[in-house]
Amino acid sequence: MDYSILVPFLPRRTEQVLPFAALVEWTGAARLWQGQSLLMEPFQTFAAVAGAGFRVPTGLGVTLMPLRHPFEAAHKVKSLAMATGNDVVAGFGPGAKTFQRSLLGAPYRSQLTAVREYMTVVRGLLGGDPVDFDGEYYSCHAGMGPAMSPPVRLGLGVLRPGMARLAGEVADVAITWLTPARLPRRRRPPRDAGGG
């Protein structure tokens, strides 16, 4: 069984994350994880950790969709894989409705539709081909162009059965670390469980 290390607080300096990256590098841990932070952005934190000499596999569990367009999300994920030289599990989620309202003016009318569109654009861009997509919430008519990088697996934060089903359709990984205990007992999450 794989295990990973989660940064258990919101870091304020890169140096605070280095001991956790060292645990990943010097033990059998599969990956270093961090959730969304409104202090230090996880993409930049992990790139800084790589620059400090700890180029370890990383997991973002989960970054919040309202903070960035899917093009920027795909660009940041690809950049992180290139900076670390290791694979990345990039988890996304819509965030709370109050958070959506704060940034977008109103919550998504359909959380699942918004997530499906976001993941469609991100996956298409990471595939290296131009994306030509018009959705209810997200549109993209652009491409990032091909670039060699370690693999990126896309994940969804799963809190309810509907998102678990959607993760089985559009994601490589279901990220369950904040999932209510009753959900995994009733239904096994699709594919990976987000740990490795």
Side-chain angles (χ1 to χ4, degrees):
M1 177 173 73
D2 287 341
Y3 65 93
S4 293
I5 305 294
L6 174 69
V7 178
F9 55 87
L10 300 177
R12 294 177 181 272
R13 295 183 324 278
T14 304
E15 297 86 343
Q16 294 176 299
V17 181
L18 297 180
F20 300 96
L23 278 173
V24 173
E25 186 165 300
W26 299 335
T27 68
R31 181 171 315 282
L32 179 61
W33 284 88
Q34 183 178 343
Q36 182 65 62
S37 171
L38 297 179
L39 297 175
M40 288 183 64
E41 177 62 42
F43 293 100
Q44 281 82 359
T45 300
F46 285 152
V49 166
F54 293 100
R55 296 168 53 104
V56 299
T58 55
L60 302 152
V62 298
T63 61
L64 301 178
M65 295 166 27
L67 291 173
R68 63 189 57 86
H69 186 274
F71 186 96
E72 183 184 3
H75 186 246
K76 285 184 176 285
V77 170
K78 185 74 138 186
S79 297
L80 180 58
M82 294 169 76
T84 63
N86 276 293
D87 68 289
V88 175
V89 175
F92 298 100
K97 289 183 179 184
T98 54
F99 185 73
Q100 296 166 22
R101 184 178 294 109
S102 296
L103 272 62
L104 305 174
Y108 301 118
R109 286 181 303 283
S110 170
Q111 306 293 309
L112 297 178
T113 299
V115 171
R116 181 184 300 279
E117 291 178 7
Y118 199 92
M119 295 296 280
T120 297
V121 173
V122 171
R123 185 174 298 284
L125 291 166
L126 290 174
D129 294 324
V131 172
D132 190 21
F133 181 84
D134 283 308
E136 182 179 348
Y137 302 100
Y138 294 101
S139 296
C140 185
H141 302 279
M144 293 193 330
M148 296 296 291
S149 80
V152 172
R153 291 186 292 158
L154 297 179
L156 284 182
V158 172
L159 297 177
R160 294 181 184 83
M163 196 65 78
R165 285 188 297 276
L166 183 60
E169 294 176 35
V170 302
D172 304 309
V173 175
I175 299 171
T176 59
W177 72 278
L178 288 176
T179 302
R182 68 187 182 283
L183 179 61
R185 285 190 200 120
R186 286 190 290 159
R187 239 171 243 187
R188 186 168 178 84
R191 299 184 191 181
D192 292 341

